[in-house]
Amino acid sequence: MKRLQNVWKDKVAVLSLSIITVTTMAGIFAPFVAPHDPAEVHMELRFASASWEYLLGNDHLGRCVLSRLIYAIRPSMLWVFAALLLSVLIGSIVGVLAGYFRGKTDAFLMRVCDVVLSFPGYVMTLAIIGILGVGFENLIIAFVLMKWAWFARIIRASVMQYAESDYVKFSKAIGASNMGIMIRHIIPVALPDIAVISSSSFGSMILQISGFSFLGLGIQAPEAEWGMMLNEAREVMFSRPEFMLAPGLTIVIVVSAINYLSDTLQVALDPKLMTSAYKQQGVVRASAVKLEGKGVA
């Protein structure tokens, strides 16, 4: 908890956390926050400009852009987060087992990961979508099938450095079970690494999901998704660029907030990075003091 207090001292990190929290809450309570039904069609308002009733205007079918933007939080962010949690869960189980037991278990599990990782991620995702069919659910399945191996390898490397610790050896010596050691001693110390890895991957997964939806391989009409909204606004991207600006800026702001918060968490949870950050602050302050001294002289 003391390490996490440093996050609250960073104003940009607090702003990033606020953006993520507000966006998440808006997605969860979308039916109460959105001013209109996102699927309600009004052809007489096709590409209508912003007004008091429709703050961000209307799309090519006269639907409320703001309402669709709010409802799009669910697939673009919340469902992506669910896919991330599932990928991390599978990767954590495989990584902890491989890093703790090593030997044949490690060799077998890592060869499976090597097979999965040997294929280019986007190519395999397209192949899985081609087999399962176009759709957001199939896209999420493809992401989980491709992401877990990457998490497993990184978590394995983190677990291996703790598996040979003295307290783990002492636990084995007094007869503690392997499952008990992993739950009580390995997983708690590996959680900060897992949290940093997960948070750093969240933003990239949002971008990838939006990219596939932009290409028409993700969520399908009439549902709303940020990437699909960008694709729908291409028709008037030069005459009415504001229709691409709304989902585009939303993606940029949310992903930037997630990435900055991830970097702040990494510094807060990693003592080495925290120490180097303090050293840099000390150097900057010392330089400032010297410059002030020269100015006074």
Side-chain angles (χ1 to χ4, degrees):
M1 293 300 294
K2 291 182 179 179
R3 295 179 184 177
L4 292 178
Q5 289 177 358
N6 295 306
V7 176
W8 297 107
K9 297 178 182 178
D10 191 329
K11 294 181 180 179
V12 181
V14 173
L15 177 62
S16 300
L17 182 60
S18 301
I19 291 172
I20 296 169
T21 303
V22 170
T23 306
T24 303
M25 297 304 294
I28 294 173
F29 298 104
F32 305 99
V33 177
H36 301 280
D37 184 350
E40 188 176 354
V41 176
H42 297 281
M43 292 305 296
E44 69 277 9
L45 297 175
R46 188 172 184 266
F47 290 125
S49 302
S51 62
W52 287 111
E53 186 177 1
Y54 299 96
L55 295 178
L56 294 180
N58 304 77
D59 64 3
H60 64 295
L61 294 177
R63 298 170 298 190
C64 177
V65 173
L66 177 59
S67 299
R68 291 182 65 76
L69 202 67
I70 294 172
Y71 270 87
I73 296 171
R74 293 182 172 185
S76 300
M77 198 170 169
L78 301 184
W79 281 108
V80 172
F81 183 68
L84 175 65
L85 287 181
L86 183 57
S87 301
V88 172
L89 177 62
I90 298 173
S92 298
I93 294 173
V94 174
V96 169
L97 292 176
Y100 179 78
F101 288 108
R102 301 191 180 187
K104 294 181 179 180
T105 303
D106 180 30
F108 173 74
L109 292 176
M110 288 303 101
R111 294 302 76 75
V112 175
C113 292
D114 289 341
V115 171
V116 175
L117 295 173
S118 63
F119 299 98
Y122 283 103
V123 175
M124 279 304 298
T125 302
L126 290 173
I128 294 172
I129 293 174
I131 296 171
L132 299 179
V134 174
F136 188 72
E137 296 82 0
N138 296 335
L139 181 59
I140 292 294
I141 292 173
F143 265 69
V144 173
L145 292 176
M146 292 305 302
K147 291 288 184 181
W148 71 267
W150 183 78
F151 288 117
R153 290 201 68 88
I154 297 178
I155 293 169
R156 165 188 173 267
S158 176
V159 169
M160 288 182 71
Q161 62 181 335
Y162 303 120
E164 295 299 321
S165 302
D166 290 338
Y167 56 86
V168 174
K169 294 179 180 178
F170 292 151
S171 299
K172 292 180 179 179
I174 63 176
S177 65
N178 291 324
M179 184 62 67
I181 293 173
M182 286 188 286
I183 293 175
R184 295 177 184 175
H185 302 299
I186 301 295
I187 295 178
V189 295
L191 276 178
D193 296 334
I194 295 173
V196 169
I197 295 166
S198 304
S199 60
S200 62
S201 301
F202 188 25
S204 64
M205 287 184 68
I206 291 177
L207 288 176
Q208 292 169 10
I209 289 288
S210 298
F212 279 108
S213 295
F214 178 80
L215 296 174
L217 300 175
I219 197 166
Q220 301 296 303
E223 301 297 327
E225 199 277 334
W226 293 336
M228 188 180 70
M229 291 178 68
L230 282 171
N231 186 24
E232 291 174 345
R234 284 191 306 165
E235 184 180 342
V236 290
M237 62 182 298
F238 296 111
S239 59
R240 306 294 296 277
E242 64 271 17
F243 289 107
M244 292 195 75
L245 208 59
L249 280 178
T250 303
I251 294 173
V252 171
I253 292 172
V254 170
V255 172
S256 298
I258 292 171
N259 289 340
Y260 189 87
L261 184 62
S262 171
D263 292 340
T264 308
L265 282 175
Q266 186 173 3
V267 173
L269 296 174
D270 192 333
K272 295 179 182 178
L273 293 176
M274 188 182 299
T275 302
S276 63
Y278 284 141
K279 287 181 179 179
Q280 290 177 358
Q281 290 178 4
V283 170
V284 171
R285 289 173 183 172
S287 301
V289 170
K290 288 180 181 179
L291 289 174
E292 288 178 3
K294 291 180 180 179
V296 171

